[in-house]
Amino acid sequence: VFPNPVMDFAQIEFQGSQSAISIDVYDLSGKKVASPIRGNFGFGQHIQGFSVKDYPAGTYYVKYTAGGATQSAKLVKMFTFQ
């Protein structure tokens, strides 16, 4: 996940596979707060972006799931002045 920490827009780089891919965002309590990316992506490296503009400042976990395999990464959302 990059940039990290992030203010408004994050990107995630992942490896595509034959199975459906989901990327979910969880807060520290384990509550799912968003599912910004879902779908089928071909084999190879992919970069997809998603907005975190409306997320409160804090720490989140981004979970990548594809074909029964799961990976997670920490995402820090910085406070932004409006």
Side-chain angles (χ1 to χ4, degrees), residues 18-39:
Q18 275 186 295
S19 47
I21 290 172
S22 66
I23 295 177
D24 301 307
V25 181
Y26 296 84
D27 65 16
L28 287 180
S29 73
K31 177 183 172 192
K32 186 189 295 187
V33 296
S35 297
I37 300 171
R38 294 204 174 284

Side-chain angles (χ1 to χ4, degrees), residues 2-74:
F2 62 95
N4 201 1
V6 64
M7 293 181 84
D8 292 331
F9 194 77
Q11 294 187 52
I12 186 166
E13 185 173 2
F14 59 90
Q15 189 70 28
S17 68
Q18 275 186 295
S19 47
I21 290 172
S22 66
I23 295 177
D24 301 307
V25 181
Y26 296 84
D27 65 16
L28 287 180
S29 73
K31 177 183 172 192
K32 186 189 295 187
V33 296
S35 297
I37 300 171
R38 294 204 174 284
N40 292 312
F41 295 84
F43 285 104
Q45 204 69 9
H46 299 275
I47 297 175
Q48 291 286 310
F50 58 97
S51 175
V52 297
K53 185 176 182 177
D54 295 330
Y55 295 17
T59 302
Y60 298 86
Y61 286 95
V62 179
K63 183 171 107 174
Y64 162 85
T65 305
T70 300
Q71 293 181 344
S72 62
K74 184 167 70 169

